[in-house]
């Protein structure tokens, strides 16, 4: 009996220690935080509070980054101004508003529609779009012509790019180029010509063959020029560019 009485406090003490351990474990698991109002925060609330604190701490950093972006935009505007584009307040003037058109004419001969697969006509369409976009952006745009416009090309443009009917500074004609321009003014640019074009004559109209054929129809544009009895020439690519294959460029 005395032994049981002696062991009882020890058992109670161990039970008390276990209870304390369980409480400590639960406390560690929940890891509560007390604010100034002694309000207990859950783990989720604690994370939210931490994010809020980090947001406040990074306020100056965000302000500095905004300042740097503003400075970068200012430098870009200055660079654009040096390149011929003026700014008025927040609105930038388009190059087309400042452009001085050239009298030189550039013609894309689209009469090869029946020689191309549909996928190649789509490629031609994209190349024409690039030509148009670049000409609109330049400070000295040429007089741009699309001739023999019809067939698959027109169908694709009607389906994919309906806005082409509103294109500015471009003459889209269903007729052939030699029917609307004087033959004396025409120069067909073809890599098969023996004549090398040394300089551009702004009184002339330079014709580019609107053909994506992967070299399946070699010499066809040169033959077209000879057939029509008009001048022809090749660009002086050999003097400026090292090309491993034929000196044939994409339309754009």
């Amino acid at each position: 009996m005395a032994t049981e009485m002696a062991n009882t406090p020890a058992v109670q003490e161990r039970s008390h220690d276990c209870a304390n351990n369980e409480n400590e474990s639960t406390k560690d698991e929940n890891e509560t935080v007390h604010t100034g109002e002694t309000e207990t925060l859950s783990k989720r609330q604690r994370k939210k509070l931490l994010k809020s604190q980090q947001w406040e701490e990074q306020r100056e950093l965000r302000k500095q980054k905004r300042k740097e972006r503003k400075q970068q935009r200012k430098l870009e505007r200055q660079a654009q101004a040096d390149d011929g584009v003026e700014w008025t307040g927040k609105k930038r003037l388009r190059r087309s508003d400042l452009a001085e058109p050239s009298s030189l004419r550039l013609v894309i001969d689209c009469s090869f529609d029946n020689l191309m697969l549909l996928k190649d006509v789509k490629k031609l369409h994209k190349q024409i779009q690039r030509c148009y976009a670049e000409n609109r952006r330049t400070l000295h745009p040429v007089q741009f012509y699309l001739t023999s416009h019809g067939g698959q090309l027109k169908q694709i443009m009607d389906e994919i790019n309906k806005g082409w009917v509103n294109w500015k500074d471009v003459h889209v004609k269903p007729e052939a180029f030699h029917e609307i321009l004087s033959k004396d003014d025409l120069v067909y640019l073809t890599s098969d010509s023996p004549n090398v074009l040394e300089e551009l004559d702004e009184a002339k109209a330079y014709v580019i063959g609107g053909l994506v054929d992967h070299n399946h129809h070699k010499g066809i544009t040169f033959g077209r020029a000879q057939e029509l009895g008009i001048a022809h020439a090749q660009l002086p690519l050999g003097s400026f560019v090292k090309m491993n294959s034929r000196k044939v460029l994409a339309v754009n």
Side-chain angles (χ1 to χ4, degrees), residues 26-39:
T26 304
K27 183 178 179 180
D28 290 341
E29 200 171 40
N30 293 330
E31 201 172 348
T32 57
V33 174
H34 297 275
T35 64
E37 299 176 354
T38 67
E39 185 182 50

Side-chain angles (χ1 to χ4, degrees), residues 79-118:
Q80 290 282 358
D82 293 340
D83 197 29
V85 180
E86 294 182 359
W87 291 74
T88 54
K90 294 184 179 180
K91 185 177 178 180
R92 185 182 71 176
L93 292 177
R94 295 177 301 174
R95 285 179 181 269
S96 57
D97 296 329
L98 306 169
E100 296 179 5
S102 168
S103 59
L104 186 146
R105 289 161 289 176
L106 182 64
V107 183
I108 297 182
D109 175 15
C110 303
S111 63
F112 306 102
D113 191 84
N114 63 326
L115 299 178
M116 291 183 286
L117 299 174
L118 183 60

Side-chain angles (χ1 to χ4, degrees), residues 31-217:
E31 201 172 348
T32 57
V33 174
H34 297 275
T35 64
E37 299 176 354
T38 67
E39 185 182 50
T40 302
L41 299 180
S42 66
K43 193 173 183 178
R44 180 178 297 178
Q45 290 172 324
R46 208 165 65 249
K47 287 183 178 179
K48 188 174 181 180
L49 178 62
L50 181 60
K51 287 184 179 179
S52 178
Q53 290 172 343
Q54 290 175 342
W55 176 264
E56 289 298 324
E57 290 171 358
Q58 295 175 359
R59 182 184 297 274
E60 288 300 320
L61 179 61
R62 294 196 303 275
K63 184 177 179 180
Q64 180 63 27
K65 287 184 177 180
R66 286 196 298 269
K67 187 176 180 180
E68 290 174 357
R69 287 196 296 268
K70 185 176 180 180
Q71 181 66 20
Q72 181 63 30
R73 288 195 294 268
K74 182 178 179 180
L75 293 174
E76 290 174 357
R77 288 197 297 269
Q78 289 176 348
Q80 290 282 358
D82 293 340
D83 197 29
V85 180
E86 294 182 359
W87 291 74
T88 54
K90 294 184 179 180
K91 185 177 178 180
R92 185 182 71 176
L93 292 177
R94 295 177 301 174
R95 285 179 181 269
S96 57
D97 296 329
L98 306 169
E100 296 179 5
S102 168
S103 59
L104 186 146
R105 289 161 289 176
L106 182 64
V107 183
I108 297 182
D109 175 15
C110 303
S111 63
F112 306 102
D113 191 84
N114 63 326
L115 299 178
M116 291 183 286
L117 299 174
L118 183 60
K119 64 177 183 178
D120 291 328
V121 177
K122 289 181 179 180
K123 290 179 182 178
L124 174 62
H125 169 229
K126 289 183 179 180
Q127 293 173 8
I128 291 173
Q129 282 183 307
R130 291 177 189 145
C131 290
Y132 170 73
E134 289 298 328
N135 195 51
R136 285 281 290 166
R137 281 196 287 264
T138 186
L139 291 176
H140 302 289
V142 299
Q143 307 301 310
F144 191 37
Y145 288 79
L146 295 180
T147 62
S148 298
H149 184 255
Q152 297 180 98
L153 177 61
K154 183 178 184 301
Q155 182 179 350
I156 289 172
M157 292 176 70
D158 287 338
E159 293 174 358
I160 300 177
N161 182 28
K162 295 180 181 179
W164 74 267
V165 295
N166 298 318
W167 281 3
K168 298 179 180 179
D169 304 321
V170 60
H171 307 279
V172 182
K173 304 290 185 180
E175 298 88 2
F177 63 90
H178 57 88
E179 295 175 352
I180 58 177
L181 298 170
S182 171
K183 285 188 177 183
D184 293 335
D185 294 342
L186 296 171
V187 179
Y188 214 118
L189 298 178
T190 168
S191 62
D192 297 302
S193 173
N195 307 320
V196 178
L197 188 67
E198 299 294 344
E199 60 181 16
L200 293 173
D201 183 349
E202 294 207 358
K204 297 293 184 181
Y206 294 93
V207 185
I208 297 174
L211 177 63
V212 178
D213 68 333
H214 309 286
N215 290 332
H216 291 157
H217 301 283

